[in-house]
Amino acid sequence: MSIDHVFVAGAGLMGHGIAQVHAAVGKHVTLYEPDLARAVAGRDRIAGSLDRAVAKGRLAAADRDATLARLTPADSLDGAARADLVIEAVFEDEAVKAALWAALDAVAPAGAIFASNTSSISIDRLAAATSGARRPRFVGMHFFSPVPVMPLVELIRGAATDDATETAIRALSAELGKQVIVSADRPGFIVNRVLMPLLAEAMRAYEEGTGTADDIDTGAKVGLNHPMGPLELADFIGLDVCLGIMRVLHEGLGGPQFEPPQVLVDLVAGGHLGQKTGRGFHTYPR
Ligand code: 3HC
């Protein structure tokens, strides 16, 4: 099937990046937030990213303008009525996501694919919020941050997902320049199951006083050749997001490696969510 119109629900860290990469390859994108100012802020963030690419000589000004012209911020679900694909990238809260999917199911065309960018929640449980007829076209499409840079899509098939939907998501990911891996519908899928124990262990080393945040991060960057240290990466992802994913992993799989460290619980309770609030394991701007 051809995917021309994409409805992206959520204009935060992931949603605005997802909207950007689709608009950049010629899709018409509606960027939805219930509050229009947040949808417009998402579009402005995309404009800033494209401006930086133009300034670096990586993008022609005309292509930036054409990409932005294909993006429509919206505070209503009506745009989903024209969508070939709906991507949900709202906060990792199962009840919030399920309510949104149920509402979208009533608006979107019967043939539209529904893809959740959930980082850990069961695709089958989210698909259950939609009608039985929709479920063959319900799939997980997990992007990585920063979306324009990270060339991976983790595709999660639910029990009802059909082959045509997987084929369509694979073709779209290739258009976006992203490589696909397929994960079973298990807690945290593949990448976060591998990543979160590393981040949690770095946090435990920090809270035990094994090293400073800078030394723990430098250890991973210089000693392991990671692009970011684990504490810096947790701050970048969002400490609330990391905590939510660790909880899903711990509840779903057990195992002390997934248990959220106390320092993480305390930082989130104190409103220190990482880069987005200016403070996490580090303070920002650094
Ligand atoms: N948007 C668009 N482009 C960006 C960007 C952004 N937010 N951030 C960086 N870039 C681009 C830069 O423009 C630059 O492009 P250029 O080389 O063509 O000029 C390129 O990326 C490199 O950027 P910088 O030179 O500024 O900085 P770095 O070399 O330090 O790279 C990084 C930045 C790509 C973010 C790198 O540090 C990195 O790869 N970090 C790890 C990121 C990671 O692990 N992401 C996965 C997180 S897990 C996840 O998302 C799953 C979720 O479920 C939790």
Side-chain angles (χ1 to χ4, degrees):
M1 74 177 280
S2 127
I3 294 175
D4 298 317
H5 285 84
V6 181
F7 185 92
V8 178
L13 179 68
M14 299 304 290
H16 90 275
I18 292 168
Q20 177 176 335
V21 296
H22 284 86
V25 298
K27 312 297 180 194
H28 294 278
V29 178
T30 304
L31 183 55
Y32 165 81
E33 279 279 348
D35 172 4
L36 187 60
R38 291 171 69 104
V40 171
R43 199 229 355 233
D44 291 349
R45 218 163 152 182
I46 294 169
S49 167
L50 296 174
D51 283 345
R52 283 191 295 281
V54 171
K56 285 181 176 176
R58 281 194 289 112
L59 182 71
D63 289 337
R64 170 200 57 201
D65 296 345
T67 297
L68 287 175
R70 286 190 286 269
L71 275 160
T72 309
D75 60 359
S76 129
L77 298 182
D78 294 350
R82 290 186 300 279
D84 305 305
L85 168 68
V86 178
I87 303 180
E88 167 272 308
V90 303
F91 188 69
E92 284 292 288
D93 180 307
E94 191 172 330
V96 171
K97 286 181 187 282
L100 182 60
W101 278 127
L104 284 163
D105 197 23
V107 179
I113 292 177
F114 278 16
S116 177
N117 177 58
T118 179
S119 45
S120 58
I121 299 171
S122 161
I123 293 303
D124 283 341
R125 285 213 304 270
L126 295 176
T130 65
S131 57
R134 177 78 62 188
R135 291 178 203 161
R137 281 177 296 288
F138 199 105
V139 68
M141 191 180 187
H142 183 208
F143 290 85
F144 295 82
S145 181
V147 177
V149 180
M150 303 302 284
L152 185 71
V153 162
E154 195 170 31
L155 189 159
I156 303 104
R157 282 187 73 143
T161 310
D162 66 16
D163 291 345
T165 298
E166 176 174 340
T167 301
I169 295 299
R170 282 184 178 279
L172 173 65
S173 301
E175 265 189 86
L176 300 175
K178 311 279 187 209
Q179 187 172 335
V180 171
I181 58 171
V182 178
S183 171
D185 189 17
R186 299 267 297 143
F189 315 126
I190 294 173
V191 177
N192 278 327
R193 180 168 177 173
V194 172
L195 173 64
M196 289 301 152
L198 171 74
L199 303 192
E201 209 49 44
M203 293 173 194
R204 281 188 266 273
Y206 172 79
E207 72 185 351
E208 288 165 12
T210 307
T212 63
D214 282 338
D215 279 348
I216 290 167
D217 281 342
T218 300
K221 280 191 285 196
V222 180
L224 302 173
N225 219 9
H226 290 190
M228 280 180 174
L231 300 177
E232 188 186 9
L233 180 56
D235 280 351
F236 174 66
I237 292 169
L239 299 186
D240 51 339
V241 176
C242 291
L243 179 59
I245 297 170
M246 286 181 202
R247 283 186 169 142
V248 169
L249 281 162
H250 194 237
E251 281 159 22
L253 299 171
Q257 70 274 32
F258 300 121
E259 189 170 1
Q262 192 59 43
V263 63
L264 176 64
V265 174
D266 292 346
L267 281 166
V268 171
H272 304 305
L273 309 182
Q275 264 190 28
K276 61 190 167 192
T277 59
R279 186 175 152 196
F281 289 94
H282 300 278
T283 49
Y284 301 88
R286 293 185 78 182

